[in-house]
Amino acid sequence: MVRRLALSVFALVSALVVVVVPAASAAPGYCGIEWGSSPKVASPTASGNLTDIRSGRQDCYDRLVFDFRGTNDGYFVQYVDDVYEDGSGRLVPLRGGAKLQVVVYSPAYDDAGNPTYTYPNRAELVDVTGYSTFRQVAWAGSFEGQTTVGLGVRARLPFRVFTLPGRVVVDVAHLW
């Protein structure tokens, strides 16, 4: 009798765990964000010229925007141990607890080699002072038709990447 009661209690608890655990793990994260921190990739079908890099603060995330003349729909964004300059391989120093390497498949120069995007300070492409997540945005080069930027962030946090007409957008959440 005691053994049967123990097995019944075990079966009931097991059933509750099976029902409760999946429901709890399906709950959205901070601000409903379900982005994750794995690499994000979109193969390019069109390539424009980079003209600007800008940033903004939102309630739940910080945003980095790449503007293009023409269309760009290709990118590769991932967390890395370090970001290196295109071509030279020199280390790009970045502040923050984690580093995102952002590659857009468009150059920062035109067909004649003239720059389409210039910056006053390669170590501080945009001012992210006071941002919740971003710590630094630094130039890593434009070489062989692609442009790379290092994004120093507070910690390894969820991020998403998407395109809009003439833009690639990188959002990094403030929390998990």
Side-chain angles (χ1 to χ4, degrees), residues 2 12-13 19 21-22 35 43 51 57 78 81 85 94 100 103 130 135 137 144 160 170-171:
V2 173
L12 179 62
V13 170
V19 170
V21 170
W35 304 335
S43 297
T51 58
R57 296 187 295 180
Q78 68 176 340
D81 292 333
E85 287 184 11
L94 289 169
L100 276 170
V103 178
R135 296 295 180 257
V137 183
E144 295 186 349
R160 70 177 173 183
V170 179
D171 293 335

Side-chain angles (χ1 to χ4, degrees), residues 44-167:
T45 62
S47 177
N49 299 98
L50 181 68
T51 58
D52 196 17
I53 299 174
R54 54 196 170 89
S55 64
R57 296 187 295 180
Q58 309 295 324
D59 289 339
C60 300
Y61 52 87
D62 291 344
R63 173 169 281 179
L64 190 64
V65 179
F66 295 79
D67 290 316
F68 301 93
R69 180 181 322 126
T71 301
N72 176 53
D73 59 1
Y75 56 80
F76 181 69
V77 182
Q78 68 176 340
Y79 279 104
V80 294
D81 292 333
D82 288 300
V83 174
Y84 297 94
E85 287 184 11
D86 289 339
S88 72
R90 284 188 293 255
L91 178 69
V92 176
L94 289 169
R95 292 185 300 277
K99 300 164 184 141
L100 276 170
Q101 177 182 14
V102 181
V103 178
V104 293
Y105 295 117
S106 286
Y109 49 85
D110 63 19
D111 291 338
N114 300 310
T116 58
Y117 171 73
T118 57
Y119 46 83
N121 182 351
R122 69 185 298 119
E124 304 289 339
L125 298 180
V126 295
D127 183 7
V128 293
T129 304
Y131 279 49
S132 297
T133 299
F134 291 175
R135 296 295 180 257
Q136 184 179 5
V137 183
W139 187 252
S142 189
F143 184 71
E144 295 186 349
Q146 71 181 31
T147 299
T148 304
V149 168
L151 176 57
V153 295
R154 182 176 50 78
R156 187 180 178 123
L157 295 162
F159 71 97
R160 70 177 173 183
V161 184
F162 60 94
T163 60
L164 295 169
R167 295 184 188 108

